[in-house]
């Protein structure tokens, strides 16, 4: 998650790596660093095994014991699947509060990427936990995956926006190549 002020990120849920922040499909999200020490000293795991575990066996997959796919977890009545979804919603709402504090309030909340774009139940659950912030969504608009899903009286506008990571990568690559090309031309 990221807090944007005039289009510029001023705070993020991520840390040094993508292991920090929100729990993901196979990554744990924010954890106590003591967990790593415990896995090495008490469980006898080699650092490479700990790395593999944290990147590939945790998150939604580790909590549920079923899958790293939110769609699958939402259709399961397995208590561990319910726990994984509830934990994701809880952590997302905590980070939203942290990021709102970094911004000293919010004008809009944007759901994007895989879960944010495609999971109406998860959006609804997160929005319900953010009622204290003034978030109120229209259930029908949310179910229809409308672009604007907040109710007219919501103090915070709530949007669902599609991501295009490939386009952004291409734009940044083009920008870097253009700058490199100009430097090369000047040096010649």
């Amino acid at each position: 998650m990221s807090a944007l002020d005039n289009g510029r990120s001023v705070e993020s849920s991520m840390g040094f790596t993508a292991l920090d922040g929100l729990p993901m499909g196979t990554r744990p999200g924010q954890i106590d660093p003591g967990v790593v020490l415990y896995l090495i000293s008490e469980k006898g795991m080699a650092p490479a095994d700990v790395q593999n575990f944290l990147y590939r066996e945790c998150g939604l997959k580790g909590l549920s014991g079923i899958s790293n796919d939110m769609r699958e977890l939402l259709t399961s009545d397995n208590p561990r699947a319910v726990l994984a979804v509830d934990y994701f919603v809880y952590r997302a709402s905590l980070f939203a509060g942290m990021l709102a504090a970094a911004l000293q309030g919010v004008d809009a909340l944007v759901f994007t990427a895989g879960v944010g774009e495609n999971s109406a139940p998860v959006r609804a659950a997160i929005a319900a936990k953010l009622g204290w912030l003034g978030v109120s969504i229209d259930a029908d608009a949310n179910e229809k995956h409308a672009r604007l899903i907040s109710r007219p009286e919501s103090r915070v506008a709530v949007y669902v926006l599609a991501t295009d990571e490939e386009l952004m990568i291409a734009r940044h690559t083009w920008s870097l190549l253009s700058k490199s090309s100009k430097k090369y031309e000047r040096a010649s």
Side-chain angles (χ1 to χ4, degrees), residues 117-161:
E117 285 177 48
N118 300 301
S119 182
V122 171
R123 288 192 304 261
I126 292 170
K129 288 194 173 293
L130 297 177
W132 65 270
L133 192 59
V135 172
S136 177
I137 64 168
D138 179 297
D140 291 334
N142 184 42
E143 284 298 322
K144 293 176 183 172
H145 303 280
R147 185 167 191 232
L148 177 65
I149 63 170
S150 49
R151 297 172 53 86
E153 65 273 11
S154 182
R155 290 193 317 258
V156 175
V158 183
Y159 295 95
V160 178
L161 300 178

Side-chain angles (χ1 to χ4, degrees), residues 95-106 132-133:
F95 277 114
M98 175 193 80
L99 296 172
L103 291 169
Q104 298 181 356
V106 294
W132 65 270
L133 192 59

Side-chain angles (χ1 to χ4, degrees), residues 60 63-66 73 76-87:
L60 297 175
L63 284 170
S64 72
I66 296 170
L73 298 177
S76 175
D77 58 0
N78 182 303
R80 286 186 60 188
V82 173
L83 169 70
V85 173
D86 288 348
Y87 182 75

Side-chain angles (χ1 to χ4, degrees), residues 13-14 44 81 128 147 171 179:
S13 62
M14 284 183 41
R147 185 167 191 232
R171 284 182 178 166
K179 288 176 186 175

Side-chain angles (χ1 to χ4, degrees), residues 5 28 38 42 47 49 63 93 126 138-140 146 157 173:
D5 186 6
Y38 173 81
E42 300 298 320
D49 294 333
L63 284 170
S93 65
I126 292 170
D138 179 297
D140 291 334
T173 302

Side-chain angles (χ1 to χ4, degrees), residues 7-184:
R8 183 173 173 267
S9 178
V10 296
E11 185 59 77
S12 170
S13 62
M14 284 183 41
F16 179 69
T17 70
L19 286 176
D20 201 6
L22 284 176
M24 302 296 283
T26 60
R27 297 185 303 253
Q30 185 179 36
I31 61 170
D32 180 334
V35 171
V36 175
L37 301 174
Y38 173 81
L39 293 173
I40 293 171
S41 65
E42 300 298 320
K43 293 297 185 179
M45 293 177 75
D49 294 333
V50 172
Q51 182 176 354
N52 183 64
F53 175 70
L54 292 174
Y55 275 98
R56 294 181 180 85
E57 301 299 326
C58 293
L60 297 175
K61 179 181 179 184
L63 284 170
S64 72
I66 296 170
S67 175
N68 65 346
D69 189 323
M70 184 65 80
R71 295 168 296 195
E72 191 173 337
L73 298 177
L74 286 167
T75 61
S76 175
D77 58 0
N78 182 303
R80 286 186 60 188
V82 173
L83 169 70
V85 173
D86 288 348
Y87 182 75
F88 178 85
V89 167
Y90 175 73
R91 297 303 296 185
S93 65
L94 284 180
F95 277 114
M98 175 193 80
L99 296 172
L103 291 169
Q104 298 181 356
V106 294
D107 299 320
L109 175 66
V110 178
F111 287 98
T112 191
V115 174
E117 285 177 48
N118 300 301
S119 182
V122 171
R123 288 192 304 261
I126 292 170
K129 288 194 173 293
L130 297 177
W132 65 270
L133 192 59
V135 172
S136 177
I137 64 168
D138 179 297
D140 291 334
N142 184 42
E143 284 298 322
K144 293 176 183 172
H145 303 280
R147 185 167 191 232
L148 177 65
I149 63 170
S150 49
R151 297 172 53 86
E153 65 273 11
S154 182
R155 290 193 317 258
V156 175
V158 183
Y159 295 95
V160 178
L161 300 178
T163 56
D164 191 339
E165 293 173 359
E166 292 81 8
L167 176 62
M168 293 309 298
I169 291 168
R171 284 182 178 166
H172 288 288
T173 302
W174 179 256
S175 174
L176 287 172
L177 290 174
S178 296
K179 288 176 186 175
S180 294
S181 157
K182 288 177 185 172
K183 284 181 186 178
Y184 180 73

